[in-house]
Amino acid sequence: MVFKAYDIRGIFDKELDTKFAYSLGRSIGKEYNGKEILVGIDVRIGSKILVKPFIYGLLEEGCNVRYAGVISTPLMYFGTKGNYDLGVILTASHNPPQYTGFKMCDKDAIPLSPIEKIKPIFKNYGLNEEKIKEIEDVDLETLKVDIIGDYKRFFLKRCEKSDKKITVDFANGATTIAEKEILGELFENRVFINDYPDGTFPAHQPDTLKMECLEDIIKAVKENNSDLGIIFDGDGDRIGIIDEEGNVLQGDILTGIIAKEILKEQKNAKIIYDLRCSKIVPEIIEKFGGGGVKCRVGHYFIKKLMHEIDAVFAGELSNHFYFKEVGYFESPLLALNYILKAMEEEGKKLSEIAKEYKKYFHSGEINFKVKDQKYIMEKIKERYKNCKIEEIDGISIYCEDFWFNIRPSNTEPLLRLNLEAEKEEIMKEKVEEIRKYIEELNK
């Protein structure tokens, strides 16, 4: 199933091919006839090949298409807001190179759910030799629009220049264009690695969470005695942060640091955090006078809620950071700016700042492959029935000295566990307790 909750994604030339891209273009084109549509791509091989049939399908149905070339997902959101009726980027985010996909948003940069909005209108359309030739002849240069200029000007004006030494891993992804230029102007003392676009991702998979993908940036930070390191994912909507000692800072710790800085500027601001985050996040928000709001996981739900309650900031465990001031969407560059601001104002190293937020012991996300997600979740609810139970996204269970969330994957036969405890030994004990119970139930 290529239609996901947040995007369309699949293996290039198997699940997503030229015929699919053309059919998708025509299906969307019928809904957006005569409307303005912005289209961009990431660096993936599949994205570069599928963009022409997709655009051809849109044009055939009478859409006014502008092509932005290789851009990051935040740049697509930035370019769409207020200017286009629909924004589309061909990307598969942090997935391995054989994947490609489509991510879409409306003129307010609110994402469209493919499974709810696109799948019901999707129709398969045939391709003959004549159409294939016409697709090949599509001249993307005649549709070209520059949205990078305004993006650069905004962030160069908004973000402070820094004398901190920074190391950046661009993971050979879409941020090797605009974001690289911006960071090059903001930081004189910089080291860039994997900083040329390559859709085969020769260095490593473009993921900010997997430890094997972080080896390059950790090594480079240590070798260059950097004050911090950052890594982007493939489409640039996630940022990973590494402290000067080479430690990876989890997304909820970063959420807490950014929230504190924002609340210094905007008292009583509403701040959203995803339900997997450490208890330190709502505690920090409350301590500094903000209104913390818990939300289910996923950018579709978070952005929708941000608009509804007029939240100024939202953070996810998965390194997505959203800001009202750019349009309620992800902005890794603003996230970085707030991290640097915290370091500057407190006069501390990043590792020292992060230490203050490590009050509890968090397991990180642990995946379990299971036969029946619903059955196992019901049994877990029964086992912990004496604890407080919430069902915002999967089940969150709050016991005396630990809590955990377990939720089904939208795309795979997996259950995802996040557990936190007051003490490290309790965290390890409870993770093992739940692991054994899931294995028993899954026999």
Side-chain angles (χ1 to χ4, degrees), residues 388-399:
K388 179 187 172 186
I389 298 176
E390 288 180 353
E391 298 188 56
I392 298 171
D393 187 358
I395 49 174
S396 295
I397 297 179
Y398 298 87
C399 303

Side-chain angles (χ1 to χ4, degrees), residues 365-428:
E365 192 153 86
I366 303 167
N367 292 320
F368 298 92
K369 194 167 185 177
V370 298
K371 297 170 190 171
D372 190 332
Q373 296 166 323
K374 191 175 179 183
Y375 166 73
I376 290 175
M377 288 174 67
E378 286 300 321
K379 297 298 285 185
I380 288 173
K381 274 169 63 179
E382 283 178 28
R383 180 169 180 140
Y384 296 95
K385 63 185 178 185
N386 293 327
C387 299
K388 179 187 172 186
I389 298 176
E390 288 180 353
E391 298 188 56
I392 298 171
D393 187 358
I395 49 174
S396 295
I397 297 179
Y398 298 87
C399 303
E400 188 176 343
D401 50 7
F402 75 100
W403 69 269
F404 67 94
N405 171 265
I406 190 156
R407 63 188 186 90
S409 164
N410 285 315
T411 57
E412 302 170 88
L414 299 175
L415 285 176
R416 306 191 192 280
L417 170 70
N418 285 274
L419 187 146
E420 184 176 69
E422 309 276 337
K423 296 180 180 178
E424 187 174 16
E425 57 267 30
I426 295 173
M427 182 269 287
K428 289 179 178 178

Side-chain angles (χ1 to χ4, degrees), residues 6 77 103 109 111 237-239 255 258 262 270-274 276 295-304 306 311-332 334-335 338:
Y6 318 129
Y77 294 142
K103 196 179 282 186
D237 62 357
R238 293 198 296 181
I239 185 173
T255 297
I258 296 166
I262 288 174
K270 290 175 184 169
I271 292 177
I272 294 170
Y273 58 96
D274 92 63
R276 300 167 298 176
C295 183
R296 67 179 300 184
V297 177
H299 76 125
Y300 173 79
F301 305 106
I302 286 179
K303 288 170 185 171
K304 191 168 178 290
M306 283 188 81
V312 300
F313 170 62
E316 279 193 280
L317 189 67
S318 55
N319 294 346
H320 288 263
F321 304 105
Y322 312 80
F323 298 86
K324 175 185 175 179
E325 70 171 290
V326 292
Y328 300 97
F329 53 81
E330 295 98 325
S331 180
L334 269 188
Y338 277 111

Side-chain angles (χ1 to χ4, degrees), residues 6 32 38 73-89 103-113 237 299-307 322-331:
Y6 318 129
Y32 285 84
L38 177 69
T73 292
L75 181 42
M76 184 270 285
Y77 294 142
F78 189 91
T80 301
K81 62 172 186 173
N83 295 315
Y84 295 89
D85 299 292
L86 180 72
V88 183
I89 182 169
K103 196 179 282 186
M104 305 172 198
C105 71
D106 69 14
K107 62 185 174 185
D108 297 315
I110 296 176
L112 299 180
S113 170
D237 62 357
H299 76 125
Y300 173 79
F301 305 106
I302 286 179
K303 288 170 185 171
K304 191 168 178 290
L305 184 58
M306 283 188 81
H307 277 269
Y322 312 80
F323 298 86
K324 175 185 175 179
E325 70 171 290
V326 292
Y328 300 97
F329 53 81
E330 295 98 325
S331 180

Side-chain angles (χ1 to χ4, degrees), residues 3 38 41 119 144 184 188 227 293 352 365 404 430:
F3 292 95
L38 177 69
I41 62 171
K119 189 179 179 184
K144 212 69 185 287
E188 283 189 22
D227 293 302
V293 181
E352 294 171 338
E365 192 153 86
F404 67 94
K430 294 301 176 182

Side-chain angles (χ1 to χ4, degrees), residues 240-254:
I241 304 280
I242 315 297
D243 72 20
E244 79 286 351
E245 295 178 352
N247 300 310
V248 182
L249 272 63
Q250 200 163 271
D252 48 2
I253 301 295
L254 297 171

Side-chain angles (χ1 to χ4, degrees), residues 94-256:
H94 57 279
N95 279 47
Q98 66 268 31
Y99 284 81
T100 190
F102 298 81
K103 196 179 282 186
M104 305 172 198
C105 71
D106 69 14
K107 62 185 174 185
D108 297 315
I110 296 176
L112 299 180
S113 170
I115 206 157
E116 291 179 11
K117 300 289 185 183
I118 309 301
K119 189 179 179 184
I121 64 168
F122 180 80
K123 290 182 182 177
N124 273 304
Y125 291 90
L127 271 178
N128 55 35
E129 290 300 318
E130 184 182 347
K131 279 196 190 300
I132 291 171
K133 179 67 172 66
E134 288 174 359
I135 287 169
E136 289 171 359
D137 292 340
V138 169
D139 185 358
L140 295 176
E141 286 302 312
T142 63
L143 305 173
K144 212 69 185 287
V145 63
D146 174 29
I147 62 170
I148 291 177
D150 286 343
Y151 186 74
K152 280 182 63 180
R153 281 186 287 275
F154 175 86
F155 283 102
L156 288 174
K157 185 179 179 182
R158 173 64 181 83
C159 296
E160 297 287 330
K161 288 192 174 184
S162 176
D163 59 3
K164 291 278 190 286
K165 187 169 188 180
I166 188 171
T167 297
V168 184
D169 185 349
F170 293 92
N172 301 112
T175 54
T176 52
I177 313 296
E179 283 80 3
K180 180 182 173 181
E181 291 180 20
I182 293 166
L183 292 172
E185 292 192 39
L186 291 175
F187 295 89
E188 283 189 22
N189 201 357
R190 63 185 184 270
V191 177
F192 290 169
I193 63 173
N194 305 319
D195 61 337
Y196 59 92
D198 187 334
T200 67
F201 305 115
H204 54 75
Q205 185 180 329
D207 194 319
T208 66
L209 297 178
K210 290 182 178 177
M211 280 308 298
E212 62 266 29
C213 301
L214 300 173
E215 290 172 0
D216 282 3
I217 185 66
I218 292 170
K219 182 182 177 187
V221 165
K222 290 178 178 177
E223 286 180 349
N224 292 287
N225 295 314
S226 298
D227 293 302
L228 77 163
I230 71 172
I231 179 172
F232 293 101
D233 71 340
D235 67 330
D237 62 357
R238 293 198 296 181
I239 185 173
I241 304 280
I242 315 297
D243 72 20
E244 79 286 351
E245 295 178 352
N247 300 310
V248 182
L249 272 63
Q250 200 163 271
D252 48 2
I253 301 295
L254 297 171
T255 297

